[in-house]
Amino acid sequence: MASTFAALHHPDAGAPLLLPNAWDHASAAALAAQGFAAIGTTSLGVAAAAGLRDGSAATRDASLALALALGQGSFLLSVDAEGGFSDDPAEVAQVARELAAVGAVGINLEDGRADGTLTPVELHAAKISAVKDAVPGLFVNARTDTHWLGDGNGNGYGGGRDGGRETIRRLDAYQLAGADGVFVPGLGDPARIVGLVKALDVPLNILYSPTGPTVPELAELGVRRISLGSLLYRRALGAVLETAALVRAGLPVEGVAPTPTYGEVQALVPPGPTPSEGASW
């Protein structure tokens, strides 16, 4: 299955892998029912649902538990593991082993930190190398946050007058460490995307933005993987707030998208043992 997932990054027809990101069993199952062959997780969604801060290495157990619930599904699973939940490459490799053991075929490792800094490039490369040594078949998507953390004035990492030299430096190191793909969230400039595609030996992953290039446009630029990140989770929260406000105002709640019925949501969960006590409502 891991080789199948890797092959989705090199399509014969040129269509990139569009990877939606789930935050629980129901969201993943619903996406799979819509025909998505591969699904990722969103660290923000997993963290927020558990009442934890994203990017703080606090969601290791929650992420592993979700992978356990999803790893045997009908779809290919890639897990957003923040920075590996540790700065010890050996511990990151152990996380990778545990994810692979429950069925995950991919892992996303980021070099951005919660304090707004970047992990030293040598350390992040060491994490990637440790994961590939531990689980050679696991698809490592190495993410750099240079564009998100740059200040846009030439004093940042990838968005100013340096022309993205730090981005290239980091991606080169991650490729050499064994990354199967690289991810540059926050990058939306078509010329820079094309430049990266030409400079890379592995597939480029871009984060979709409603204000950025469309999926067909990103495909034309040579992007091979398009992630939705936390977009679906945030839009779901937006729908919650909108619905509650409409109900409170005495207005109809019919929207553009139909609301799944109780039975449809129940059908997303495989049959299991019935509790001897209690009732659902």
Side-chain angles (χ1 to χ4, degrees):
M1 294 181 71
S3 60
T4 301
F5 183 65
L8 293 176
H9 296 73
H10 302 276
D12 294 334
L17 168 62
L18 178 60
L19 191 73
N21 300 79
W23 58 93
D24 61 8
H25 183 280
S27 57
L31 289 166
Q34 290 297 308
F36 288 98
I39 296 170
T41 63
T42 162
S43 65
L44 175 64
V46 173
L52 300 170
R53 295 282 296 179
D54 185 30
S56 62
T59 59
R60 182 185 190 278
D61 291 346
S63 296
L64 290 173
L66 182 58
L68 178 62
L70 301 181
Q72 304 304 317
S74 61
F75 49 87
L76 301 169
L77 174 68
S78 182
V79 175
D80 183 349
E82 299 183 1
F85 309 120
S86 174
D87 273 343
D88 181 347
E91 292 184 6
V92 177
Q94 180 58 30
V95 170
R97 289 189 190 94
E98 294 177 16
L99 290 174
V102 297
V105 296
I107 185 172
N108 195 76
L109 292 175
E110 64 195 52
D111 61 13
R113 288 173 161 168
D115 63 1
T117 64
L118 290 172
T119 301
V121 63
E122 298 82 5
L123 175 56
H124 200 63
K127 294 182 184 183
I128 295 165
S129 180
V131 169
K132 293 304 293 184
D133 286 343
V135 194
L138 191 68
F139 190 102
V140 176
N141 196 42
R143 169 179 142 180
T144 184
D145 285 354
T146 49
H147 279 264
W148 265 354
L149 299 180
D151 63 12
N153 296 312
N155 300 315
Y157 301 107
R161 293 189 296 270
D162 69 355
R165 286 191 296 271
E166 179 65 10
T167 299
I168 290 289
R169 184 177 81 91
R170 286 178 171 270
L171 297 186
D172 282 345
Y174 302 162
Q175 288 183 116
L176 289 173
D180 301 286
V182 293
F183 184 19
V184 188
L187 177 61
D189 179 74
R192 289 192 174 183
I193 291 174
V194 170
L196 276 185
V197 169
K198 291 180 178 178
L200 293 169
D201 296 321
V202 297
L204 175 63
N205 183 188
I206 292 295
L207 182 68
Y208 171 80
S209 169
T211 60
T214 64
V215 168
E217 289 170 342
L218 289 171
E220 285 291 326
L221 297 174
V223 173
R224 286 291 166 258
R225 173 165 157 175
I226 303 169
S227 298
L228 298 187
S230 64
L231 177 63
L232 299 181
Y233 179 73
R234 290 182 288 110
R235 284 187 63 85
L237 283 180
V240 167
L241 297 174
E242 178 186 33
T243 302
L246 290 172
V247 171
R248 182 166 58 186
L251 298 173
V253 298
E254 291 82 2
V256 176
T259 301
T261 65
Y262 178 92
E264 289 170 338
V265 175
Q266 280 282 75
L268 296 173
V269 182
T274 302
S276 58
E277 296 181 356
S280 61
W281 54 276

